[in-house]
Structures are given as structure tokens and as C-alpha cells.
Amino acid sequence: MQDLIQIARNSWIVMLAALGIVVGLGMVSYGMISGPPARSSLQVVEGTITEASRVTRRSRRTGASSSYYEMTLKPRLSATELKLRVPTIEMAESDVRSLIGGPVRAEFDSEQDVYVLSSGRREVLTYANTLERRNLNLRQYHVDGIALMIAGAVAMAIGLALGYRKRRREVADNASAMSR
């Protein structure tokens, strides 16, 4: 057991593999625990979309980009405008343009992410489609976490094998140096 601890302390591969396993476990947990809110917990506001624009953000760290439509909603009963977001993958640009200036009903969460958007009797963005798309994103966290944990376990096994070989050589070298 002492040898195993010594091997783990001296091997960067084992340390990085352990970190990968922990991060993968966190991703799996996040994918299982978190989820979109229930429709009954969403805020509902009726009003008029005064403007809409497409916003694209690029991550400095990964280089990945994400884009969404940011719509300004002027509620009927309030002077305070709301900035609502809808991922571009969930809604066509022509639908966004058709909503500007017309009365809409929006259902959104506390972060202003829209789950349902309707104009008159027509639901432009349905809760079922939004829920399906957002659950796919959460499942991706789960799958990526499992892949990271598997890669970490393989790297851990390789690191332990290499560390054990190195440790065995050190012990053999020390034994031969003492016998001289």
C-alpha cells in the first residue's frame, strides 16, 4: 500500500488521471441532477417585442461559439423592459423578425431564457421542443463525463504501471548500491 501511495505521488500521469476522473464525475452528476425548470415555475409576461438581435459569443479558452437571439420585451403592465434570450438553434430568424412589433406571450426562467413564445394562438417556440433540446445538452454533459472518467481510468492504469516499473527499478538500484 505504501508503494502505491509513493507511485501516485511521484507520477504526473496518475495525478492528471485522478483529476480527469473527478471532473468527469462532476460532469455526470451535473447532467443527472440539473435540468430545465417545470413549466409551472416559469414566469409569464405578455407584451410587445420592440427589438431583436442575434448575439454571438466566442469562448476565449475553447474557441467555441454560441449564438442566441436577444429580444427586448415591453410588458403591457410595466414600464420596465425585459431582455429575453432564445438559442438560435431553437428558433428561425424569420420567426423572430415576424414577432417584432406584435403582441406576444413569453414564458421564461429567472435567467430570462425563454421556454415558450407565442403570438396570438400560434406557439412559435413550444415547451416540448425547448425541453427536448435542453435535455439533449444535459445528456451531452453526462456522456462527456463518462468518456472523461474512462479516459482517466485508462491513464491511471498506465500511470500506475509505469510508476510501479520505475519504483521497482529504484528499489533494485538501492539494493545493489547497498550491497557494494
Side-chain angles (χ1 to χ4, degrees), residues 24-35 137-138 141-142:
L25 187 60
M27 289 174 71
V28 168
S29 299
Y30 176 76
M32 291 172 57
I33 293 171
S34 64
N137 290 341
L138 290 173
Y141 270 101
H142 186 81

Side-chain angles (χ1 to χ4, degrees), residues 7 11 13-14 17 150-165:
I7 291 168
S11 176
I13 294 173
V14 172
I150 290 171
V154 169
M156 177 84 70
I158 291 169
L160 288 172
L162 292 174
Y164 179 72
R165 194 173 97 189

Side-chain angles (χ1 to χ4, degrees), residues 4-69:
L4 191 59
I5 293 171
Q6 190 69 26
I7 291 168
R9 277 190 191 150
N10 293 331
S11 176
W12 282 100
I13 294 173
V14 172
M15 298 283 198
L16 290 174
L19 179 65
I21 290 171
V22 169
V23 170
L25 187 60
M27 289 174 71
V28 168
S29 299
Y30 176 76
M32 291 172 57
I33 293 171
S34 64
R39 188 166 185 175
S40 59
S41 69
L42 296 174
Q43 300 175 39
V44 179
V45 174
E46 292 184 8
T48 305
I49 300 287
T50 57
E51 63 180 312
S53 61
R54 183 180 183 142
V55 178
T56 302
R57 298 196 181 225
R58 183 171 296 284
S59 170
R60 289 182 190 166
R61 186 174 45 101
T62 63
S65 64
S66 63
S67 62
Y68 57 89
Y69 296 111

Side-chain angles (χ1 to χ4, degrees), residues 69-105:
Y69 296 111
E70 185 173 82
M71 296 176 276
T72 304
L73 178 73
K74 171 78 171 103
R76 287 184 187 163
L77 305 174
S78 172
T80 308
E81 293 183 337
L82 298 170
K83 296 280 188 182
L84 302 177
R85 291 187 307 260
V86 177
T88 55
I89 197 164
E90 293 179 9
M91 199 168 169
E93 188 173 344
S94 58
D95 287 335
V96 173
R97 276 191 251 126
S98 70
L99 294 174
I100 297 174
V104 296
R105 181 176 189 266

